[in-house]
Amino acid sequence: MDLGVRWKLHGDGRTPAPGAVVRPDERLSWPRTFGLGAQHVVAMFGASFVAPVLMGLDPNLAIMMSGVATVVFLLATRGRVPSYLGCSLSFVGVAAVIRAQGGTSATVTGACFVVGVVLFLAGLAVRRFGARIIHAAMPPIVTGAVVMLIGFNLAPVTASTYWPQDQWTALLTMLVTGAAVVCLRGFWSRIAIFLGLVFGYVISWALDRILGRIHSMDASGKVTDHWRLDLSGVGRADWIGLPSFHGPSFQWSAILVALPVVIALVAENAGHVKAVGEMTGDPLDDELGTAISADGAASMLSTAVGGPPDTTYSENIGVMAATRVYSTAAYWAAAGFALLFGVCPKFGAVVAAIPGGVLGGITVILYGMIGLLGAQIWLNARVDLRNPLNLVPAAAGIIIGIGGVTLKFTDNFLLNGIALGTIVVITGYHALRAMAPAHLRQEPLLDSGTSSYDESGDQRASS
């Protein structure tokens, strides 16, 4: 049985040829592969620490379970879909609502566990009936818009949380990272994001020594005099220690609040699979159902022990776009690092100490790359944005997703951000398509490449 754990050496193992990419079943030399794995870990660390903290969950457990979830995903997809699974930011708002209702950490993880179950079943439905049920619901105009709003929805995190903590360090980090991505050659260009973080860490330390404390917003949102780089937590942290575990608790009120996130997660997975397929030139329609089910199973496993739900991580799509390395060997390395880091509170404290200004500079580039992958899907599918049938639902959904617009039904049930933007794009497109004149509906509903998969899927079903 092929589990996708064998990789061919790409070229000389040092760097891809001009215009080439390192495919999922290929790898660079092992030292370079481990370096890329470390870069993937660093890329996801910011959100994977911030999200569970905002949800009131143990960040070290989140990191450890992200490694487990990534292994589950890679095995389930047999190494065809390069992806890192980390704590989903889509659940942060859900957790806040549940806690406002008096829910505990167990209540939060219980509701998220049920979302994982529903997501797993949705993936099985895609495997049974074919990718057509996803592509019919989300043709290229829809998928591109969803990928775009998922990426750009993260912009307020940069603008309101990270950048204001130290605007000049953020600007310097952004410039150095951008220059590293474009100007460096070979392996060094492949770890440009990591180098940008290291630069930001060092420059923050130097500015503390030269200029002293900075008067700005800290990580909690309060304007105070504080050090840019605070290492006090590192000294207090242990070298080795297990995170805290707890079981889930199930309450219908909390479950109903969390269920709408399924829509966003299906869209995220579909967008990720589509984006990776576009970047590697290998259509992955036949892996879509498996990827969605694997995401659900990984979330169930994580929340069952008290961790946050995990999903395919947008940040790592940006890293792949920058490096052109899609090797799943790098993700296995990243998963191994995450498992080790999860049982090392001291390392977690070092990563958690990365200054907010540094994260601001890095995320400006990463989040922008993620959003623009949606535009890449439109370009490759030759989506006509002059057609109002395409333009109107995409425009509305993107603004809702980016702006964090909220639709409140009751005090305990609301939709906002990615989930609401996704619903507007999907339902808006199909409702308008049903009412539109024939000349606006000339584009096929299914995107190119789906029919061949569906035919093979039908043949397998009949055999």
Side-chain angles (χ1 to χ4, degrees):
M1 182 178 180
D2 182 14
L3 296 178
V5 293
R6 295 181 179 179
W7 302 274
K8 297 174 292 186
L9 187 65
H10 178 90
D12 61 3
R14 293 183 178 181
T15 184
V21 300
V22 179
R23 299 176 61 80
D25 61 347
E26 298 177 330
R27 65 170 176 83
L28 298 178
S29 65
W30 283 117
R32 289 172 172 78
T33 296
F34 287 127
L36 287 163
Q39 182 175 356
H40 277 297
V41 170
V42 171
M44 67 83 187
F45 247 116
S48 280
F49 260 99
V50 171
V53 168
L54 294 176
M55 294 174 67
L57 303 176
D58 184 351
N60 259 70
L61 178 59
I63 296 300
M64 185 171 74
M65 293 310 299
S66 74
V68 174
T70 300
V71 169
V72 170
F73 186 91
L74 293 174
L75 290 175
T77 59
R78 303 180 306 284
R80 287 195 62 199
V81 185
S83 181
Y84 193 92
L85 270 65
C87 179
S88 175
L89 289 168
S90 300
F91 286 91
V92 171
V94 166
V97 173
I98 293 174
R99 290 188 180 278
Q101 297 174 354
T104 64
S105 294
T107 311
V108 171
T109 54
C112 295
F113 180 90
V114 174
V115 171
V117 172
V118 175
L119 189 63
F120 176 78
L121 295 176
L124 294 183
V126 173
R127 283 177 55 87
R128 172 64 179 84
F129 298 106
R132 67 182 66 172
I133 66 174
I134 293 294
H135 289 296
M138 293 186 292
I141 179 60
V142 172
T143 306
V146 170
V147 172
M148 189 173 290
L149 69 88
I150 287 173
F152 292 158
N153 174 264
L154 298 169
V157 177
T158 295
S160 62
T161 301
Y162 296 140
W163 192 280
Q165 294 183 42
D166 188 353
Q167 60 177 358
W168 298 113
T169 296
L171 180 61
L172 286 172
T173 303
M174 180 192 72
L175 294 175
V176 169
T177 303
V181 171
V182 175
C183 299
L184 293 181
R185 294 291 183 268
F187 175 70
W188 294 109
S189 68
R190 305 291 182 263
I191 60 169
I193 305 298
F194 179 75
L195 294 177
L197 282 169
V198 172
F199 167 83
Y201 210 104
V202 172
I203 198 68
S204 296
W205 176 86
L207 290 175
D208 280 341
R209 305 285 80 74
I210 297 170
L211 302 178
R213 301 189 182 207
I214 185 174
H215 183 76
S216 69
M217 189 180 78
D218 61 14
S220 66
K222 297 179 180 179
V223 177
T224 63
D225 290 322
H226 61 276
W227 298 110
R228 296 168 181 82
L229 178 61
D230 183 3
L231 298 175
S232 59
V234 177
R236 295 192 300 266
D238 296 327
W239 280 103
I240 299 176
L242 288 174
S244 57
F245 299 92
H246 70 260
S249 175
F250 303 100
Q251 294 183 8
W252 277 112
S253 60
I255 292 171
L256 291 175
V257 169
L259 277 177
V261 178
V262 171
I263 299 170
L265 295 180
V266 171
E268 284 180 354
N269 275 272
H272 183 188
V273 172
K274 172 66 70 175
V276 173
E278 295 284 354
M279 289 187 290
T280 62
D282 179 21
L284 296 173
D285 292 329
D286 57 335
E287 291 293 338
L288 184 54
T290 302
I292 294 173
S293 287
D295 193 326
S299 291
M300 292 161 59
L301 181 61
S302 179
T303 53
V305 297
D310 292 305
T311 189
T312 51
Y313 235 45
S314 301
E315 284 83 348
N316 298 92
I317 300 178
V319 172
M320 289 191 294
T323 62
R324 297 184 295 122
V325 177
Y326 305 98
S327 171
T328 54
Y331 282 106
W332 275 94
F337 284 132
L339 289 171
L340 292 175
F341 298 155
V343 295
C344 180
K346 190 171 290 292
F347 181 85
V350 171
V351 176
I354 293 176
V358 177
L359 293 175
I362 293 293
T363 54
V364 162
I365 294 176
L366 277 182
Y367 295 171
M369 284 181 173
I370 297 162
L372 290 176
L373 286 175
Q376 183 68 36
I377 292 174
W378 287 346
L379 289 172
N380 290 347
R382 298 181 180 179
V383 172
D384 184 7
L385 291 179
R386 296 171 298 180
N387 185 341
L389 175 58
N390 293 330
L391 182 62
V392 171
I398 288 171
I399 291 299
I400 287 173
I402 295 173
V405 174
T406 298
L407 189 62
K408 184 176 181 180
F409 294 90
T410 69
D411 290 338
N412 299 327
F413 181 74
L414 53 84
L415 290 171
N416 59 17
I418 293 175
L420 181 58
T422 299
I423 292 173
V424 168
V425 174
I426 295 175
T427 60
Y429 175 81
H430 290 289
L432 291 173
R433 185 181 178 88
M435 297 183 291
H439 72 279
L440 295 181
R441 292 185 281 110
Q442 293 178 355
E443 296 180 4
L445 188 62
L446 297 179
D447 59 330
S448 61
T450 303
S451 58
S452 62
Y453 163 64
D454 288 335
E455 290 171 2
S456 62
D458 292 341
Q459 292 171 1
R460 287 196 302 271
S462 62
S463 61

